[in-house]
Amino acid sequence: MRLPALAILLSTGLLAFNAPAHAGQLDPDLAEVILNAPADSLISVWIETVTSHDAKDLKRSVASRAATPAEQHAIAWNELKHAAREQDGLVEHLNTLKARGRAERVKGHWIVNVVEAEIAADQFALLAKRNEIVNIYLKPTIALVEPLSEVEPAPQSPDSAMSNLQHIRAREAWAAGYTGAGRLICSFDTGVNGLHPALYSRWKGHDGDSAAAWFDPVMDQPFPHYFSYSPAHGTHTMGIMVGADPTTFDTVGVAPGAKWISAAVIDIPGASILDAFEWAADPDGNPNTVADVPDVINHSWGYTYISCLDIFYDAVDNTEAMGIVNIFSAGNVGPNQMTIVSPADRALDSIDCFAVGNLNHAIDQLAGNSSRGPSPCDALAIKPNVVAPGTSIRSCWYNYTTTRYNTMSGTSQAAPHVSGLVALLRQKNPNATVDEIKTAILTTTRRVIAWGGMPNNLYGWGEIDCLAALNALSSANPTSHLRVYDFDHAPILPGDTVRGAVLLQNLGALATSVTARLLATNSALTILDPNLTFGNIAQGSIVRSTDSLTVVVADTVTDGTLLSADFQIQRGAVNDTVLLHFITGDPPDKMLATHSGSRIRFTLSDFGAYGFGPMTYPFFPLPEGVGFTFDGLSNDLFEGGLMIGTGYSKVSSGVHSYLFEPDMDFKVAPSGQIQYLAPGPIAPQQTWAMFNDSNAKRPLGVLVTQESFLYDTPNDDFVILRYILKNVSGATLSNLHVGLFMDWDLSPNVNSNAGAYEPVGEFVWQAYYNGSTYSRYRGIKLLVGPQSAAGVIDFDVYRHWPPITEPQVGDGYSTDEKFGTMVSGFLYADINRTERDDCFSIVAAGPMTLANDQVDTVTFAVLAGTALEDVRDAALRAEALVTDVDDDPGDPTLPREFVLHQNYPNPFNPSTTISFDLPRRSRYRLEILNVLGQTLYEVESEAPAGRHDLAWDGAGYATGAYFYRLTVSKRSWTRKMMLLK
């Protein structure tokens, strides 16, 4: 709907174009521009086309059909992409004009049915006659909702719960366990300084996919940065949403546990807001994944010259149909009525285009310049929707090296409070719909008598209340989640008739009338009785089928073969298909082996778990091992294990999920029992084992060959663990991460551990810390593989106040927490250096991609020493010893993959060496960039397979962070380095 004054078409324009009534119409402003433009002048326009669906209807329909955000996303994405095909004829016509020089920059959009283009003025008369066109508009100008003021820097405060956060009861929400952990916040803004200490660790791009975490359509730089046009705004607003400094514990964000992504498209010439909507709706470009899709988009912008335009409303509705909440600044053009900016101005109902006003929380009054309702679209509907603190808000400053925090005022500061609250609510109920989230916020607001009867056009429905909104939202996981827990049968020999019961576990809500059926998808299995009945399965319960499967195994299979068939589980009208596995021959027994060197004793298994010492033995039905001992001292290792994952819900692990429920996802492969060799072909002591992840809830299809190496003096203070990973899934495995978890307990009191990551030597250490001195150091170092995480993590998530978000392993180390730690970068590198608590170490490699049957290698060193320098020295010697593995018949010393290594030394002054591996002769380009993404140095050449070292001299550059980027065959890898003078 448009303003009445803008709805009047120029009569001269209509007469000039003589368009038929059923064809498209020209916006009056566009018609005026055309009449005064030369015939060949290119005019930027948005062409709105006929669409087969209504955005509001789509949002309602998807919400009724989908139970989870993943399902919502898939349904809406498919329908929007299908509807966008209706533009094909128009795009083809415009490309014809482009070939004739009468059009440029033709681009169709799918988030709304709009084609964006620059078209010659003399083409609009014919263009307007096309039946698929509804309207043609001048391309709207997108502008920032400018803050009211920038006041003098705020003092840095160790009490991070600022008054604005206290006012909305964010502190109480944190105490209840809701910090936004596991959730994702997006902003459309002016850019963000991704190096700010309170934002750096929370950026999602540290998981290795920067393109899915930072949208920079103008400069196309891979790391978040600010622009000179409006340098401060985007960093300040992002700080209000997620800001938390892991070193000083200074928290300025409502959701300090959430991660963030951002699109730099506001007040940036050449950027398209529709491109930003499409990017945010599917950041990684894969509609089957949703971990990249934000829970909320924070908007601090409006558009000029036209109001109440359905195109923008449709973009909002369509992203919300995909499960994404949109929150808008109301505007800073009060105190007059009907001043809400577009598109925050629409109000078809109480939760439509959620607009936030600026409450001066110090005096409990609406700020004078905060925009007021009613909506200018109908002069009746109430706006804003809610208010939040927006006056003198302390948050992150773009130029943090001189001023880490500053205060700003405006509805741009108010709206991020609400976006942060959305993350808290989604943490409580990840499956809550957009309307459920907004309703919980709207119906639990704080209201003051002096504000008058509510709702009204000043305060809307009132001020947000984090704790009240959380209490109002149901916590549930509304869907059941069934998985095969066990298949109970006798050992299988070729030719046998197998009878066995299946056990299902329900990890979600109550599942009723559960049945299952084994499908004939494996020619080596003849199914005689495929059906099973389970009845009702409560959340957390394990239920055995009341009947048994009967299957004949072909006598032609060989002993030790793994046979798999589709197993369809039905709960109500929902079918889930998983794999059920049959292993012929006696399943190998789980076994342990122990290295016993001059200084180290270390017990390993053939199923990816380590330790088994006296402190952990009660939880494993195996002969007791020694754990990990050094120099004759007692066992230091409570538990260790391998973790492999491709996503938050797909992790295979040898690490407990819960203390009394071992998560033994790895199964000994046929003939894969652990072997101890002394001496071995490479080291004085070696072990070898092979296992797969067929026991996992969602198997990845990885076969792991595990090797360990223990040496004599002087290299007797570390053990090398090498993992040769083979993809046997039948499909490509992407985003693969491999992590080593070690829960060291280095004193009689487990709560006296500390640790950190050391850049010099590139290793993680833990030690006993008595409050003044350290002793009994143990560590991990990644020797082979691209590093994705390194840190020491506190088991007690509420140890710090305000909370530094860490995996809540006190109540279980869940699958998503395991993957989260493997992609956490250096988030936990230094926050527990001086803690005295129960901690664990994690070092991980990734992301990697394995095609079917492809092999790759990841290698770690487990280190020990009396002092930190001992461990550092062991780390350097271990790196010198390790060699890669090559399954190909070629030179085994050549690298198997492209790897960009961390520069050495780092930090450096003034020169450093950058090393990279090429598995084959390739052309490469190496660039040095500053934090703005500007290239300072570049070399392009061709080199043979092998490791290559290039030196860079930073003598002419200032102290600070720099990036180096290697590009080979259109693929790029980027790492950070520090120049310290």
Side-chain angles (χ1 to χ4, degrees):
M1 180 178 179
R2 305 187 54 202
L3 284 173
L6 293 175
I8 303 172
L9 291 174
L10 298 175
S11 59
T12 53
L14 289 175
L15 291 172
F17 294 108
N18 192 27
H22 63 277
Q25 294 193 3
L26 299 177
D27 173 76
D29 300 275
L30 173 60
E32 186 173 11
V33 169
I34 293 169
L35 289 173
N36 294 289
D40 60 353
S41 175
L42 293 177
I43 302 170
S44 294
V45 295
W46 282 6
I47 305 172
E48 183 183 7
T49 61
V50 173
T51 180
S52 59
H53 82 273
D54 176 84
K56 270 289 185 188
D57 288 343
L58 176 66
K59 180 180 173 182
R60 284 190 290 265
S61 172
V62 170
S64 66
R65 286 185 284 163
T68 66
E71 293 170 354
Q72 283 182 288
H73 187 269
I75 294 171
W77 188 91
N78 284 326
E79 295 203 10
L80 290 169
K81 286 285 189 174
H82 180 78
R85 297 174 188 167
E86 298 165 359
Q87 305 168 2
D88 290 351
L90 174 61
V91 171
E92 183 179 356
H93 171 70
L94 294 177
N95 282 329
T96 301
L97 295 181
K98 182 178 178 181
R100 292 166 40 202
R102 313 307 289 171
E104 290 291 342
R105 301 182 186 279
V106 177
K107 182 175 184 179
H109 288 282
W110 58 267
I111 199 68
V112 287
N113 260 18
V114 167
V115 178
E116 199 168 354
E118 296 176 0
I119 300 173
D122 62 0
Q123 296 300 310
F124 286 96
L126 291 175
L127 191 63
K129 294 180 180 180
R130 295 182 66 93
N131 290 336
E132 72 264 54
I133 295 177
V134 177
N135 276 302
I136 308 177
Y137 302 95
L138 272 176
K139 181 180 177 180
T141 301
I142 306 300
L144 180 69
V145 174
E146 292 283 358
L148 298 179
S149 62
E150 299 176 7
V151 301
E152 58 190 66
Q156 184 168 325
S157 168
D159 179 8
S160 47
M162 307 302 293
S163 62
N164 54 306
L165 302 182
Q166 294 170 345
H167 211 263
I168 62 172
R169 296 213 287 173
R171 181 190 286 272
E172 287 89 339
W174 300 340
Y178 301 107
T179 63
R183 310 321 302 169
L184 186 62
I185 290 176
C186 177
S187 70
F188 290 177
D189 219 303
T190 62
V192 180
N193 189 339
L195 292 173
H196 193 288
L199 298 177
Y200 174 77
S201 63
R202 310 309 303 150
W203 181 51
K204 186 183 178 294
H206 293 304
D207 65 7
D209 190 357
S210 62
W214 171 245
F215 183 62
D216 178 6
V218 175
M219 294 185 67
D220 195 28
Q221 295 300 323
F223 190 81
H225 57 91
Y226 60 86
F227 294 76
S228 59
Y229 318 114
S230 299
H233 192 274
T235 303
H236 199 266
T237 56
M238 187 59 73
I240 298 170
M241 291 184 270
V242 302
D245 190 321
T247 302
T248 65
F249 310 140
D250 200 337
T251 302
V252 294
V254 176
K259 293 189 177 181
W260 64 271
I261 63 177
S262 185
V265 291
I266 308 303
D267 276 6
I268 298 173
S272 166
I273 195 72
L274 295 183
D275 285 345
F277 271 109
E278 290 178 342
W279 172 78
D282 192 12
D284 68 356
N286 182 356
N288 298 310
T289 61
V290 293
D292 58 306
V293 179
D295 294 288
V296 60
I297 304 173
N298 187 80
H299 304 271
S300 298
W301 57 271
Y303 55 91
T304 59
Y305 98 78
I306 191 172
S307 186
C308 307
L309 184 61
D310 282 342
I311 291 173
F312 287 101
Y313 302 147
D314 289 351
V316 172
D317 285 340
N318 288 335
T319 51
E320 293 196 339
M322 302 176 85
I324 304 168
V325 181
N326 288 271
I327 302 296
F328 288 89
S329 301
N332 300 322
V333 288
N336 293 333
Q337 292 187 330
M338 291 199 297
T339 51
I340 305 290
V341 299
S342 285
D345 52 2
R346 185 177 66 164
L348 300 181
D349 54 46
S350 62
I351 57 176
D352 190 33
C353 286
F354 218 70
V356 186
N358 172 7
L359 179 71
N360 185 339
H361 61 287
I363 58 175
D364 249 358
Q365 289 183 14
L366 192 71
N369 286 346
S370 186
S371 292
R372 272 84 163 159
S375 168
C377 299
D378 62 3
L380 293 173
I382 291 174
K383 280 285 175 174
N385 300 76
V386 294
V387 293
T391 302
S392 297
I393 304 301
R394 177 179 181 271
S395 186
C396 303
W397 199 238
Y398 74 103
N399 188 12
Y400 69 91
T401 56
T402 58
T403 303
R404 186 166 289 193
Y405 299 97
N406 207 339
T407 61
M408 298 177 74
S409 300
T411 57
S412 290
Q413 279 58 53
H417 288 79
V418 185
S419 296
L421 173 54
V422 172
L424 306 185
L425 293 167
R426 272 278 168 83
Q427 180 188 356
K428 182 176 182 181
N429 186 349
N431 294 325
T433 67
V434 169
D435 287 358
E436 287 171 343
I437 293 284
K438 291 181 179 179
T439 299
I441 296 172
L442 196 78
T443 57
T444 58
T445 51
R446 171 180 169 267
R447 305 179 182 190
V448 176
I449 294 176
W451 296 351
M454 306 190 75
N456 60 42
N457 288 310
L458 297 177
Y459 299 90
W461 277 256
E463 183 192 19
I464 65 168
D465 183 324
C466 295
L467 188 63
L470 283 163
N471 289 337
L473 184 71
S474 67
S475 62
N477 176 5
T479 60
S480 51
H481 178 191
L482 299 171
R483 62 114 169 181
V484 174
Y485 186 82
D486 197 8
F487 180 23
D488 186 9
H489 59 79
I492 303 172
L493 295 176
D496 275 357
T497 298
V498 180
R499 293 179 179 84
V502 174
L503 286 77
L504 294 183
Q505 183 180 30
N506 184 7
L507 302 177
L510 172 68
T512 59
S513 303
V514 178
T515 59
R517 181 179 179 85
L518 186 65
L519 304 181
T521 55
N522 191 317
S523 60
L525 300 173
T526 302
I527 303 171
L528 303 181
D529 189 351
N531 298 309
L532 296 175
T533 302
F534 296 87
N536 297 340
I537 307 179
Q539 182 173 5
S541 296
I542 300 171
V543 173
R544 185 186 185 92
S545 59
T546 58
D547 34 25
S548 297
L549 296 173
T550 306
V551 179
V552 177
V553 178
D555 58 10
T556 55
V557 301
T558 57
D559 197 38
T561 301
L562 176 68
L563 305 173
S564 302
D566 285 350
F567 187 64
Q568 189 177 78
I569 304 170
Q570 184 163 345
R571 45 184 175 88
V574 179
N575 287 328
D576 295 320
T577 301
V578 298
L579 289 176
L580 194 65
H581 305 286
F582 299 74
I583 299 179
T584 59
D586 291 328
D589 292 329
K590 295 177 179 179
M591 295 178 62
L592 304 180
T594 297
H595 282 299
S596 294
S598 58
R599 304 187 74 184
I600 287 176
R601 300 185 71 208
F602 180 35
T603 298
L604 303 95
S605 75
D606 46 20
F607 51 96
Y610 313 116
F612 307 96
M615 64 177 76
T616 54
Y617 169 67
F619 310 121
F620 291 93
L622 288 168
E624 184 177 329
V626 302
F628 185 101
T629 69
F630 183 66
D631 283 348
L633 300 177
S634 59
N635 176 31
D636 302 319
L637 184 62
F638 182 81
E639 179 183 8
L642 179 70
M643 303 189 299
I644 304 174
T646 59
Y648 285 93
S649 61
K650 296 203 71 174
V651 174
S652 298
S653 161
V655 182
H656 284 86
S657 285
Y658 298 91
L659 186 60
F660 295 100
E661 182 187 357
D663 190 18
M664 296 295 101
D665 293 341
F666 296 123
K667 177 184 289 187
V668 186
S671 302
Q673 290 99 330
I674 195 165
Q675 301 175 26
Y676 174 75
L677 307 173
I682 296 177
Q685 294 184 34
Q686 291 182 222
T687 72
W688 178 97
M690 186 182 295
F691 50 84
N692 58 50
D693 70 332
S694 58
N695 273 352
K697 302 170 187 176
R698 299 180 65 188
L700 302 173
V702 177
L703 180 66
V704 180
T705 299
Q706 171 190 286
E707 297 176 302
S708 67
F709 308 90
L710 180 64
Y711 297 84
D712 292 334
T713 185
N715 297 316
D716 53 357
D717 49 0
F718 58 83
V719 176
I720 290 177
L721 298 177
R722 181 162 62 187
Y723 301 98
I724 304 168
L725 310 159
K726 184 175 183 180
N727 178 7
V728 294
S729 69
T732 297
L733 291 175
S734 301
N735 197 35
L736 184 70
H737 290 75
V738 180
L740 184 61
F741 165 100
M742 300 295 269
D743 178 7
W744 301 106
D745 287 341
L746 297 159
S747 68
N749 178 4
V750 298
N751 294 319
S752 294
N753 290 274
Y757 171 75
E758 294 297 321
V760 179
E762 298 179 316
F763 64 94
V764 164
W765 59 268
Q766 276 184 244
Y768 168 52
Y769 181 55
N770 64 11
S772 60
T773 60
Y774 298 89
S775 60
R776 206 159 174 163
Y777 285 82
R778 306 293 180 260
I780 317 173
K781 177 179 173 63
L782 177 66
L783 298 174
V784 175
Q787 188 130 22
S788 63
V792 174
I793 303 175
D794 184 347
F795 273 96
D796 183 1
V797 68
Y798 300 116
R799 170 66 176 166
H800 302 292
W801 185 261
I804 300 299
T805 300
E806 302 179 3
Q808 298 183 35
V809 292
D811 62 347
Y813 189 26
S814 64
T815 296
D816 59 337
E817 289 167 342
K818 289 175 182 177
F819 189 75
T821 56
M822 287 195 287
V823 298
S824 61
F826 297 98
L827 173 62
Y828 306 113
D830 211 51
I831 63 175
N832 287 305
R833 183 180 291 271
T834 57
E835 283 303 302
R836 299 187 65 197
D837 218 318
D838 188 8
C839 304
F840 67 87
S841 297
I842 179 74
V843 173
M848 298 177 288
T849 299
L850 282 181
N852 187 44
D853 286 332
Q854 185 178 352
V855 174
D856 209 339
T857 303
V858 174
T859 306
F860 303 93
V862 182
L863 315 163
T866 302
L868 182 60
E869 285 306 313
D870 297 337
V871 180
R872 193 191 318 275
D873 182 58
L876 295 174
R877 285 184 280 106
E879 186 171 34
L881 274 174
V882 72
T883 57
D884 205 347
V885 173
D886 196 324
D887 271 9
D888 297 328
D891 186 349
T893 66
L894 294 179
R896 292 194 54 82
E897 62 176 3
F898 296 99
V899 177
L900 178 62
H901 296 280
Q902 186 66 51
N903 63 302
Y904 183 83
N906 186 45
F908 63 96
N909 178 28
S911 62
T912 188
T913 298
I914 299 171
S915 302
F916 57 90
D917 296 342
L918 301 177
R920 57 182 178 274
R921 174 173 288 276
S922 307
R923 284 203 65 80
Y924 69 87
R925 183 172 73 254
L926 183 71
E927 302 165 88
I928 310 294
L929 306 98
N930 62 18
V931 295
L932 296 180
Q934 298 166 326
T935 301
L936 307 177
Y937 170 83
E938 181 177 350
V939 59
E940 187 167 357
S941 185
E942 182 174 314
R947 176 164 294 189
H948 301 276
D949 301 320
L950 295 178
W952 184 63
D953 189 344
Y957 298 94
T959 291
Y962 294 85
F963 297 88
Y964 54 100
R965 179 168 63 200
L966 176 70
T967 302
V968 184
S969 302
K970 298 182 179 181
R971 290 186 61 197
S972 294
W973 300 261
T974 302
R975 282 182 176 266
K976 177 184 175 183
M977 58 184 176
M978 293 294 296
L979 173 59
L980 297 179
K981 293 187 175 181

Short mmCIF file of all heavy atoms in Angstrom, two decimals, residues 854-875:
data_model
loop_
_atom_site.label_atom_id
_atom_site.label_comp_id
_atom_site.label_asym_id
_atom_site.label_seq_id
_atom_site.Cartn_x
_atom_site.Cartn_y
_atom_site.Cartn_z
N GLN A 854 37.96 -41.42 -0.93
CA GLN A 854 39.16 -40.60 -0.78
C GLN A 854 39.73 -40.73 0.63
O GLN A 854 39.01 -40.97 1.59
CB GLN A 854 38.85 -39.13 -1.07
CG GLN A 854 40.08 -38.22 -1.06
CD GLN A 854 39.74 -36.78 -1.40
OE1 GLN A 854 38.62 -36.46 -1.79
NE2 GLN A 854 40.71 -35.90 -1.26
N VAL A 855 41.05 -40.58 0.74
CA VAL A 855 41.76 -40.73 2.01
C VAL A 855 42.43 -39.41 2.37
O VAL A 855 42.93 -38.69 1.50
CB VAL A 855 42.82 -41.85 1.90
CG1 VAL A 855 43.67 -41.92 3.17
CG2 VAL A 855 42.15 -43.19 1.65
N ASP A 856 42.42 -39.06 3.65
CA ASP A 856 43.15 -37.90 4.14
C ASP A 856 43.70 -38.22 5.53
O ASP A 856 43.28 -39.20 6.16
CB ASP A 856 42.26 -36.66 4.19
CG ASP A 856 43.06 -35.37 4.00
OD1 ASP A 856 44.30 -35.40 4.22
OD2 ASP A 856 42.47 -34.34 3.63
N THR A 857 44.61 -37.40 6.00
CA THR A 857 45.31 -37.67 7.25
C THR A 857 45.27 -36.47 8.18
O THR A 857 45.43 -35.33 7.74
CB THR A 857 46.79 -38.02 6.96
OG1 THR A 857 46.84 -39.13 6.08
CG2 THR A 857 47.53 -38.35 8.24
N VAL A 858 45.03 -36.74 9.47
CA VAL A 858 45.13 -35.73 10.52
C VAL A 858 46.01 -36.32 11.62
O VAL A 858 45.83 -37.49 12.00
CB VAL A 858 43.75 -35.35 11.09
CG1 VAL A 858 43.91 -34.40 12.28
CG2 VAL A 858 42.89 -34.71 10.02
N THR A 859 46.96 -35.53 12.12
CA THR A 859 47.92 -36.04 13.10
C THR A 859 48.04 -35.07 14.27
O THR A 859 48.10 -33.85 14.07
CB THR A 859 49.31 -36.23 12.45
OG1 THR A 859 49.17 -37.05 11.29
CG2 THR A 859 50.27 -36.89 13.42
N PHE A 860 48.06 -35.62 15.48
CA PHE A 860 48.22 -34.84 16.70
C PHE A 860 49.43 -35.36 17.48
O PHE A 860 49.85 -36.51 17.31
CB PHE A 860 46.98 -34.97 17.61
CG PHE A 860 45.69 -34.57 16.98
CD1 PHE A 860 44.87 -35.50 16.35
CD2 PHE A 860 45.26 -33.25 17.03
CE1 PHE A 860 43.67 -35.14 15.79
CE2 PHE A 860 44.05 -32.87 16.48
CZ PHE A 860 43.25 -33.81 15.85
N ALA A 861 49.93 -34.52 18.37
CA ALA A 861 50.91 -34.95 19.36
C ALA A 861 50.34 -34.70 20.74
O ALA A 861 49.78 -33.62 21.00
CB ALA A 861 52.23 -34.20 19.20
N VAL A 862 50.45 -35.68 21.63
CA VAL A 862 50.07 -35.53 23.04
C VAL A 862 51.37 -35.29 23.80
O VAL A 862 52.29 -36.12 23.74
CB VAL A 862 49.33 -36.76 23.56
CG1 VAL A 862 48.90 -36.56 25.00
CG2 VAL A 862 48.10 -37.05 22.68
N LEU A 863 51.44 -34.17 24.52
CA LEU A 863 52.69 -33.66 25.06
C LEU A 863 52.69 -33.70 26.59
O LEU A 863 51.63 -33.62 27.22
CB LEU A 863 52.90 -32.21 24.60
CG LEU A 863 52.63 -31.92 23.12
CD1 LEU A 863 52.47 -30.43 22.90
CD2 LEU A 863 53.75 -32.48 22.27
N ALA A 864 53.88 -33.75 27.19
CA ALA A 864 54.01 -33.71 28.65
C ALA A 864 55.29 -33.01 29.03
O ALA A 864 56.28 -33.03 28.29
CB ALA A 864 53.97 -35.12 29.24
N GLY A 865 55.27 -32.36 30.21
CA GLY A 865 56.46 -31.68 30.69
C GLY A 865 56.26 -31.17 32.09
O GLY A 865 55.14 -31.11 32.60
N THR A 866 57.36 -30.79 32.71
CA THR A 866 57.30 -30.21 34.05
C THR A 866 57.01 -28.72 34.00
O THR A 866 56.30 -28.19 34.85
CB THR A 866 58.64 -30.45 34.77
OG1 THR A 866 58.90 -31.86 34.81
CG2 THR A 866 58.59 -29.90 36.19
N ALA A 867 57.52 -28.04 32.99
CA ALA A 867 57.33 -26.61 32.81
C ALA A 867 56.80 -26.34 31.41
O ALA A 867 56.85 -27.20 30.53
CB ALA A 867 58.64 -25.86 33.04
N LEU A 868 56.30 -25.12 31.20
CA LEU A 868 55.73 -24.75 29.91
C LEU A 868 56.76 -24.87 28.80
O LEU A 868 56.45 -25.35 27.69
CB LEU A 868 55.17 -23.33 29.97
CG LEU A 868 54.49 -22.81 28.69
CD1 LEU A 868 53.31 -23.69 28.32
CD2 LEU A 868 54.04 -21.36 28.88
N GLU A 869 58.00 -24.46 29.07
CA GLU A 869 59.03 -24.54 28.04
C GLU A 869 59.33 -25.98 27.65
O GLU A 869 59.71 -26.27 26.51
CB GLU A 869 60.31 -23.82 28.51
CG GLU A 869 60.20 -22.31 28.46
CD GLU A 869 59.78 -21.80 27.08
OE1 GLU A 869 60.37 -22.26 26.07
OE2 GLU A 869 58.85 -20.97 27.02
N ASP A 870 59.17 -26.91 28.59
CA ASP A 870 59.34 -28.33 28.27
C ASP A 870 58.33 -28.77 27.22
O ASP A 870 58.66 -29.48 26.27
CB ASP A 870 59.16 -29.18 29.53
CG ASP A 870 60.21 -28.89 30.60
OD1 ASP A 870 61.29 -28.38 30.25
OD2 ASP A 870 59.92 -29.16 31.78
N VAL A 871 57.09 -28.36 27.42
CA VAL A 871 56.03 -28.75 26.48
C VAL A 871 56.25 -28.08 25.13
O VAL A 871 56.03 -28.69 24.08
CB VAL A 871 54.64 -28.40 27.07
CG1 VAL A 871 53.54 -28.81 26.11
CG2 VAL A 871 54.46 -29.08 28.41
N ARG A 872 56.66 -26.81 25.15
CA ARG A 872 56.93 -26.11 23.89
C ARG A 872 58.04 -26.82 23.10
O ARG A 872 57.94 -27.01 21.89
CB ARG A 872 57.31 -24.66 24.17
CG ARG A 872 57.31 -23.78 22.91
CD ARG A 872 57.94 -22.42 23.14
NE ARG A 872 57.55 -21.83 24.39
CZ ARG A 872 56.43 -21.12 24.59
NH1 ARG A 872 55.60 -20.94 23.59
NH2 ARG A 872 56.16 -20.61 25.78
N ASP A 873 59.08 -27.22 23.81
CA ASP A 873 60.18 -27.92 23.16
C ASP A 873 59.72 -29.26 22.60
O ASP A 873 60.09 -29.65 21.48
CB ASP A 873 61.32 -28.11 24.16
CG ASP A 873 62.53 -28.79 23.54
OD1 ASP A 873 63.07 -28.26 22.55
OD2 ASP A 873 62.92 -29.86 24.05
N ALA A 874 58.88 -29.97 23.35
CA ALA A 874 58.34 -31.25 22.86
C ALA A 874 57.50 -31.03 21.61
O ALA A 874 57.55 -31.84 20.66
CB ALA A 874 57.51 -31.92 23.96
N ALA A 875 56.71 -29.96 21.59
CA ALA A 875 55.86 -29.66 20.43
C ALA A 875 56.70 -29.44 19.18
O ALA A 875 56.38 -29.93 18.09
CB ALA A 875 55.00 -28.44 20.73
#
